[in-house]
Structure formats: C-alpha cells, structure tokens
Amino acid sequence: MALTKPTGIFDRDAEWAELARFATDQREGATLGVVSGRRRQGKTLLLYELARVTDGFYFGATEATAAESLRRLGEALGQYTDAPGPVHLSDWGSAVDALLALGVERPVTVVLDEFPYLVRAARELPSIIQHALTPGRPERVRSRTRLLLCGSALSFMGGLLAGSAPLRGRAGLELPVQPLDYRAAAAFWGIDDPGLAVEVFGIAGGTPAYRREYVQDDAPTGRDDFDDWVVRSVLNPARPLFREARYLLAEDPDLRDTALYHSVLAAVAEGNATRGGIAGYIGRKATDLQHPLTVLEDAGLLARDPDPLRSGRSRYRITEPLVTFYQAIMRPAWTALEQRRGADVWRRSRRRYTSAVLGPTFEEIVRQWALRFADPELLGGVVAEASAATLTDPSSRTSHELDLVALGEPPLGDGARPMLAIGEVKWGRTLGRPDLERLARVRDLLAGRAGGAASDARLLLASATGFTEDLVRAAAGRRDVVLVDAARLYAD
C-alpha cells in the first residue's frame, strides 16, 4: 500500500518511500527499524507524520529517570488505546511487550523518538528489545508492530547495530536522514540565483530547520541583501542560529572535552586538512589525535576522505557548513558579536569568509556535482568517488594540489581504476588558459604513473566568476575539457 507523502514534508522522497515500505509491510512478525541523523534534519517530522497517516503510535522521549519515562509511556499508551487510564508498565520488558501487542490485529507503526534519552536512564533497554524480538518468541510472532527507534546522537545510534551490539542483526531498516544536498537546499530557501545559493549554503548548509525555526523564514532577497541577511540572521545574538554551532558540540554526549574538539575543528577550518597539520595547529602530537578525530567523525561533524593519489593519506573536512563559518568567522570575534557589533565584524571578515568558507564550500559542491549530478557522458563515465588530492613529483621535488580527482567504478577484473577527471576549482578567481595547461601537465604526469589509467581523464575547470575568452576558445570543441560555472552546477 502506497502512502502519499504529506505536503508539509519538503523533499525526502527516498526517505519517505523507505519508511512507508517498512510501515506497511503486511508480513507476520514484529520488525525493527533504526532512523538516525543530526538534529534539525526533519527526522521527527518524518516519523510523526508517518505515525499519523498510518494511525500509529508516536512517543517522544525526554531526559528523565527510567521510572518517569515508563510512566509517561504508559500514559501515552492509555490515550492511544482509549484505555480508561494510564497503562501500568512495571519495567521495560513489559513496556516493550505492550508495544508489540499494539500490532496484533494489523501492522502498526510504533515510534520511539529520542531513543538515546531512554537508554541513558535504562542501559539494558537495547538488550530487552533484542530479547523481545527473538525469532520464534510468541509475542513477536503474533505481532506486526513496526518499531522505529530514532535518535540524533550519531555515535550512539551508529553503535546500536554495530559489532557485538545487542540489536545487530535484528533491524530490517537502517535509515540515515542526511542534510539536503546543495540543489535541494537552494529550492528549500527559494533561491534561484546560483551564486547566492552557494553563499547561503556556505553558512546554513542543508539543514531545513535553519530556515524555518532558526531565522523564521528570513531568506536574502538577492545578492545585494546577502550581507544584511548575515548580520541580521546569523551574527545576531537574538537569533537561535547565532549559538547553534556551539550547541552542536555541547549536545552530543560523547563530546566531553569540548575545548579540544573546538580546537580540532578550528584547525580544519583554517585549512589544516591532514592529521599532522591539525596536530601542529593545536600543539599536540599527531598520535594523540586518534580519539578526538574518531569521535568527531562518529558525531558526523568531520569526514575523512582518503587521498586517491597517496596511499594511506587522508584529508579531513568539516561536514556542517555552519561549523566552518563559526570557527572561521564567529569564534575569533565572539565578544564583539555578543556586544551586537555584528556589522563591524562582518565588514572585517568578508574577505576571510571568501577564502576560508566560500572557497572550500564551492570545491565540495563541485565534487558533489561530479558525483551526483554530472552527465556520465560529460565526464567519460559514472563517477564513484570524488575528492581532493595531492600529486607529488619526486623528479622535480614539487607537489600539485588538485581540487578534484574523480574516479570511476572499479573494474570487474584486474586493471587500474579509471581516473575520469582532474580539476581546478576556484570561487573568486577567473580561470584562464594557464590553468588548463597546468592541468594538462598534471594529467601527463599521472598517465605516466598510472599505466594509462589517467590518460583520458577530463580536464575540469570550475569557477564562480567565469573564464577568460582565451580559455573558452581553447576549450571549444574539445571533449576532454569541461568548464563549469555556478549556473551549470544548479542546472537540471
């Protein structure tokens, strides 16, 4: 049975389809699903609406003792089942069985939102659910409850189904709710100017709540309104977005040493993408950073991208644009911002915003375009990986920074993985023929090393400010040269 997505949910077609499939499964036996994602991505709206349209049961947990949570759950069950009063739940075992009993006559969606709050007070709860869902157990066999556990603590939710965790092997759905991609974010903000869309994405990213609740639908009306919008909506202490980046660290229970984590994020925001660079920036040994880097990865705030040209080397990048903006622009001027001197801070920081925030944002957007939206014929195949890379040339003792290396799918048999494109990406600089010639020399160097796997790689040049006439003429009629401006990134 198909479930029509409610009109109040923007995008999320794939997520809704998976949830609807799970909730309407007619087979006998209770099933388990896990939904995760950082806060403010719309998980609660998705699950609340799913429970509503399927006449299911939704329970949002709060920070409370186990006894209070059981009491609240019993009260909610009483209201849902039209019982004369609250349902008495003596312990979590009886509570889970009561949830399974809801699905005796039909498939019933049961949502336990903010599940980490419940486990914080009752550590045994995952094991209790594991036992309740034991294959062959009568309470499970007789039930068609579709139990969905949801949470925003990514490190905790990621561990629910991992390794030797009690619920490993029990879930039939594992659904991450990611931020909107850059194209969907532009549509959500109602922005049709590609340059303005990149600038807003460089601050708010793809988090839906940042437009709705956090700035009360205040979107810049055009490029000439962007600076005023930043001052009134982002650098304004009266707006919730002002402190949001700090709260993202404070609300994850695994991020205890917030000063260290802020320093690591500041190092990455400053352009220190390697472990050694981060260590040098914060004054620690590289070997001391394994734990904080892993924790920030598990929390979904850092991503580690292997360098395709240097085995064993990786680059770190911040996944939440607002965190980059905070570390680069707001944190160094926090006192002045709290004193409502946002306009002065922004005037001084505009150039830094371009280099430390917009530049990396534009590079990542181009990589996402190559990975998700570019026509395979344009890049010579389906892009399976896209990342930045560094090519070292021992013969000349030089290195070449590449903003984009796009790799194709691995071959079925032996052979080198195809390198589909290498690229130069610049937000604030017009690219010219010398940039094309440099890329061509790098391709020749790569082709000599990779046994021909890079000899047909496209030369991609991306710029938000455009290209010189000389470059446009040189690229005309050449299939191996791809010019990408901001408009092309957003074109269907």
Side-chain angles (χ1 to χ4, degrees), residues 220-487:
T221 57
R223 298 293 288 273
D224 56 353
D225 184 45
F226 177 74
D227 290 340
D228 289 339
W229 175 79
V230 172
V231 173
R232 70 178 181 258
S233 295
V234 186
L235 303 183
N236 180 356
R239 291 292 182 94
L241 201 58
F242 179 76
R243 294 177 178 82
E244 173 65 6
R246 296 166 74 111
Y247 292 158
L248 286 174
L249 281 178
E251 68 189 9
D252 193 304
D254 288 334
L255 301 180
R256 297 182 179 89
D257 189 354
T258 55
L260 173 60
Y261 297 124
H262 273 296
S263 294
V264 170
L265 292 171
V268 179
E270 287 285 341
N272 301 285
T274 66
R275 181 181 296 191
I278 297 169
Y281 182 88
I282 67 176
R284 296 282 186 98
K285 295 180 180 178
T287 53
D288 295 338
L289 293 182
Q290 179 63 47
H291 178 69
L293 289 173
T294 299
V295 170
L296 286 169
E297 281 188 77
D298 291 343
L301 295 176
L302 270 188
R304 181 171 59 88
D305 299 324
D307 190 322
L309 302 182
R310 296 192 297 174
S311 178
R313 295 292 191 95
S314 298
R315 293 167 174 261
Y316 289 90
R317 58 180 173 84
I318 298 172
T319 58
E320 175 53 67
L322 185 64
V323 172
T324 302
F325 182 82
Y326 167 78
Q327 296 291 348
I329 306 300
M330 300 178 69
R331 189 166 174 246
W334 190 253
T335 299
L337 290 173
E338 286 189 314
Q339 295 172 350
R340 296 183 176 277
R341 302 198 330 251
D344 294 336
V345 170
W346 183 239
R347 205 161 24 247
R348 297 195 306 268
S349 305
R350 197 60 169 86
R351 180 175 297 178
R352 179 170 172 76
Y353 166 69
T354 299
S355 62
V357 179
L358 265 185
T361 296
F362 190 62
E363 291 175 14
E364 183 59 25
I365 284 177
V366 171
R367 290 190 281 267
Q368 289 301 310
W369 173 80
L371 193 62
R372 302 183 59 179
F373 301 111
D375 186 338
E377 291 188 7
L378 184 68
L379 297 183
V382 175
V383 176
E385 293 182 21
S387 61
T390 300
L391 174 65
T392 56
D393 183 4
S395 62
S396 61
R397 297 184 179 181
T398 59
S399 62
H400 302 275
E401 298 292 330
L402 291 169
D403 300 319
L404 169 74
V405 171
L407 300 179
E409 297 172 336
L412 294 177
D414 296 333
R417 191 170 188 178
M419 188 174 295
L420 300 180
I422 60 175
E424 177 91 355
V425 181
K426 291 293 177 282
W427 166 262
R429 180 166 72 83
T430 300
L431 297 181
R433 188 159 185 164
D435 298 294
L436 173 61
E437 293 169 350
R438 184 187 80 88
L439 275 184
R441 288 193 297 271
V442 172
R443 181 176 62 184
D444 291 341
L445 183 60
L446 282 168
R449 289 188 178 185
S455 58
D456 295 327
R458 302 293 202 265
L459 305 177
L460 185 147
L461 297 104
S463 171
T465 57
F467 314 97
T468 64
E469 292 183 6
D470 193 24
L471 174 59
V472 173
R473 284 195 301 268
R478 288 184 58 176
R479 286 174 54 86
D480 67 326
V481 179
V482 180
L483 303 184
V484 180
D485 58 11

Side-chain angles (χ1 to χ4, degrees), residues 187-199:
F188 186 71
W189 280 84
I191 298 173
D192 55 14
D193 179 322
L196 179 61
V198 174
E199 295 219 49

Side-chain angles (χ1 to χ4, degrees), residues 96-111:
V96 174
D97 280 344
L99 296 176
L100 296 185
L102 297 178
V104 169
E105 297 181 356
R106 64 178 179 89
V108 172
T109 304
V110 173
V111 176

Side-chain angles (χ1 to χ4, degrees), residues 1-5 16 20-21 24:
M1 179 180 67
L3 294 178
T4 301
K5 188 184 73 173
W16 180 260
R21 179 198 59 79
T24 58

